[in-house]
Amino acid sequence: MKVAVVGANGKIGTHVVEQLQQAKTHPVVAMVRKQAQVDGWKDQGVDARLLDLEGPVSAIEKAFEDIDAVIFTAGSGGATGDDKTLMVDLDGAVKTMEAAHAVAADRFILVSALQAHNRENWNEDLLPYYVAKHYADKELMRSELDWTIVRPGGLTDEPGEEKIELAENLGRGTIAREDVARILIRCLDADNTIGKHFDALTGEHGVEAAVKRI
Amino acid sequence: MKVAVVGANGKIGTHVVEQLQQAKTHPVVAMVRKQAQVDGWKDQGVDARLLDLEGPVSAIEKAFEDIDAVIFTAGSGGATGDDKTLMVDLDGAVKTMEAAHAVAADRFILVSALQAHNRENWNEDLLPYYVAKHYADKELMRSELDWTIVRPGGLTDEPGEEKIELAENLGRGTIAREDVARILIRCLDADNTIGKHFDALTGEHGVEAAVKRI
C-alpha cells in the first residue's frame, strides 16, 4: 500500500512520515505545500510531492495517481485566520476525500479532535476549529472510502511513551504527537478500524493492542 | 403553517417577516438574537422570540415548540470574522435543522448563495462564506426535512420588481433582497420545491410562475 501523508510538514505529519520511512512496511509519499519542503524530504530519501489543499480537486487527484492510502494530518494551525480553518481543515479535507475516491485510494485515515462528534463537549477555546473538524468528519463518515477517524486530545511534543487509551468517548486529556502518529500507522494494517471513529489519549495500553480492540 | 423566520432582523429576514405579516397567509414568528429586537417586532404587532444560533440545539427546539416551517435567512455578515461564519452560517444553520427535525417543524427553506453547490464557481472574494454555505446545504440535502434551498446571486437593496429567473445553474448576476423574500414565501405554498435547490436572479418571469416551474 503506497501511503500519502497529507500535511507531511506538520508536527504529526512529520512523525508519520519518519516512522513509516523507518518501518519500511509501506512506501510513503510526503505531500507538502511548498517546493522547498519537497526538496527537504527528498534530501532525506523520502518521496515527496506538491499538494495544494486550496487548489482544485483535479490537481489533488493527479498528486494521488498511484496512491492506495491517505493519512490526512493537515491543519491550518493557530497562526492563520479562521478563513484558513474553513478552506483547509474543512474544504481541503473534503476535497482530499473526493480526490482519493476518484483515484481509488480507498483507505483514508483522518486526524480529527477529541469529541468532535459531540457538540456539547467541544473545547470552548477552539470552537471554529471544532466546527470544521465536525463537518469534515461527517463528510468522511458518509463517503464510500474505507475510513478511520482518530480524535486525539490535547497534543504535546513530549516523546511518546507508546501507552495509549482509545475509545469512542473519552474525557479531556493529552497525548504526544509521536504516539498519534503510531496510532495512525497502526490503523493502516488494522482493517477492524475501517468505519470506526474514536478518541485517543495517553493511557495504559500498547498501541497494537489498543488498535486491535477498537 | 406557523412560520419561524430565523435571522428576522437581517435584510432578507426583515422583508420576509413584513411580507408574511402583510399577506396573512401564514402566522409568522420573528426569531432574533436580542431582546430589543423582540420588543421592536412586537411593537409592530409581530410575534417574536429570542433565538441564539450559537446556543445549544435544545434551546432552539424550545423556541420552535409550535412551529411548522422554518425560513432560515440568518448570516453572520461581512462585519464579523470567519469564526462567526463557521459558528453561525454553518453550525448555526445545521443546529437549526436538527432542532426543526426534533420538533417536527419539517418544512425548511434555506437561503444559500449562487452556485454554492459548484466549488469551481464560488466567488473568489467570498470563499470562506461559500465553504460554510456549501456544507450547510449538503447537511440539509441529507436531512429528513422537507427542504428547499434558494441560492440568490449578488444581493441588492433596490425595490424588487417581481421579475425573476430560477434554475439549478445560472451565471453571475444580482437580485433584490425584496424579491428573494418573495421567492422564499412562495416556496412555502409550492410543494413542488421540496427537495429542490436552485439559483435565483433578477429575470423575466413572475415569482409565482417561476417557482411553479422549478
Side-chain angles (χ1 to χ4, degrees):
Chain A
M1 248 190 329
K2 190 177 252 193
V3 182
V5 179
V6 179
N9 264 56
K11 285 183 176 181
I12 291 175
T14 299
H15 282 297
V16 174
V17 174
E18 290 177 350
Q19 290 177 24
L20 272 172
Q21 183 75 351
Q22 200 162 22
K24 297 190 201 307
T25 43
H26 301 287
V28 58
V29 185
M31 299 284 179
V32 290
R33 199 161 41 92
K34 296 176 186 163
Q35 186 57 45
Q37 297 165 336
V38 170
D39 299 341
W41 282 115
K42 287 191 171 168
D43 286 346
Q44 296 182 51
V46 176
D47 192 7
R49 296 178 197 163
L50 279 176
L51 187 80
D52 178 10
L53 290 172
E54 296 183 61
V57 174
S58 57
I60 305 177
E61 285 178 28
K62 215 168 165 190
F64 280 177
E65 218 166 29
D66 56 348
I67 296 296
D68 304 299
V70 176
I71 299 181
F72 188 96
T73 71
S76 59
T80 54
D82 287 317
D83 55 335
K84 295 294 181 191
T85 308
L86 278 151
M87 303 302 297
V88 174
D89 302 68
L90 175 51
D91 201 39
V94 177
K95 286 193 285 191
T96 304
M97 295 167 203
E98 293 174 10
H101 182 63
V103 301
D106 285 328
R107 189 71 177 103
F108 200 105
I109 301 170
L110 178 65
V111 179
S112 179
L114 191 83
Q115 290 291 302
H117 60 314
N118 286 325
R119 204 181 268 125
E120 61 271 28
N121 295 337
W122 291 356
N123 184 330
E124 285 288 327
D125 298 329
L126 300 169
L127 287 178
Y129 176 71
Y130 264 90
V131 174
K133 285 296 182 190
H134 180 73
Y135 291 98
D137 292 359
K138 280 182 103 163
E139 292 291 331
L140 184 58
M141 289 179 197
R142 287 162 177 152
S143 76
E144 291 173 51
L145 294 162
D146 295 330
W147 56 266
T148 301
I149 298 171
V150 180
R151 294 187 300 256
L155 298 163
T156 75
D157 292 329
E158 307 297 310
E161 296 181 12
E162 306 195 37
K163 291 289 179 189
I164 61 165
E165 179 76 34
L166 303 179
E168 191 165 327
N169 294 292
L170 292 172
R172 292 216 178 160
T174 62
I175 184 167
R177 289 179 171 91
E178 192 179 349
D179 280 342
V180 174
R182 288 190 178 105
I183 296 165
L184 298 170
I185 290 170
R186 190 66 222 148
C187 287
L188 280 176
D189 294 311
D191 283 356
N192 62 299
T193 62
I194 293 175
K196 302 275 175 66
H197 56 95
F198 46 85
D199 291 343
L201 294 178
T202 295
E204 299 184 343
H205 310 285
V207 173
E208 188 170 343
V211 167
K212 199 172 178 179
R213 282 196 335 201
I214 271 294
Chain B
M1 247 189 329
K2 189 177 254 195
V3 182
V5 178
V6 179
N9 264 55
K11 285 181 175 183
I12 291 175
T14 300
H15 281 298
V16 174
V17 174
E18 289 177 352
Q19 289 177 25
L20 272 172
Q21 183 76 350
Q22 199 161 25
K24 296 190 202 311
T25 43
H26 300 287
V28 59
V29 184
M31 300 283 179
V32 290
R33 199 161 41 93
K34 296 175 188 165
Q35 187 57 45
Q37 295 166 336
V38 170
D39 299 341
W41 282 115
K42 287 191 170 169
D43 286 346
Q44 295 182 51
V46 176
D47 192 5
R49 295 177 197 165
L50 278 177
L51 187 79
D52 177 10
L53 290 172
E54 296 184 61
V57 174
S58 57
I60 305 177
E61 284 178 28
K62 214 168 165 189
F64 280 178
E65 217 166 32
D66 55 347
I67 295 296
D68 303 299
V70 175
I71 299 181
F72 189 96
T73 72
S76 59
T80 55
D82 287 317
D83 55 333
K84 295 292 180 193
T85 308
L86 277 152
M87 303 303 298
V88 174
D89 300 67
L90 174 51
D91 201 40
V94 177
K95 286 193 284 190
T96 304
M97 295 167 202
E98 292 174 11
H101 182 63
V103 302
D106 286 328
R107 189 72 175 103
F108 199 105
I109 301 170
L110 178 64
V111 179
S112 180
L114 193 83
Q115 289 292 300
H117 60 315
N118 287 323
R119 204 182 267 126
E120 61 271 30
N121 295 337
W122 292 356
N123 185 331
E124 286 288 326
D125 298 329
L126 300 169
L127 286 179
Y129 176 72
Y130 264 90
V131 174
K133 285 297 184 190
H134 180 71
Y135 291 98
D137 291 0
K138 278 181 106 166
E139 292 291 330
L140 185 57
M141 288 178 195
R142 288 164 177 150
S143 76
E144 292 174 50
L145 294 162
D146 296 330
W147 57 266
T148 302
I149 298 171
V150 180
R151 293 187 300 256
L155 298 164
T156 76
D157 292 327
E158 309 294 310
E161 294 181 11
E162 304 193 38
K163 291 287 181 190
I164 62 166
E165 180 75 33
L166 303 179
E168 192 166 327
N169 294 292
L170 292 172
R172 292 214 179 164
T174 62
I175 184 168
R177 288 179 171 91
E178 191 179 350
D179 280 343
V180 174
R182 288 190 178 105
I183 295 165
L184 298 169
I185 290 169
R186 189 66 221 149
C187 286
L188 280 176
D189 294 311
D191 283 353
N192 61 299
T193 62
I194 292 174
K196 301 276 175 67
H197 57 96
F198 46 85
D199 292 342
L201 294 176
T202 296
E204 297 184 341
H205 309 284
V207 173
E208 187 171 345
V211 168
K212 199 173 179 178
R213 282 195 335 197
I214 271 292

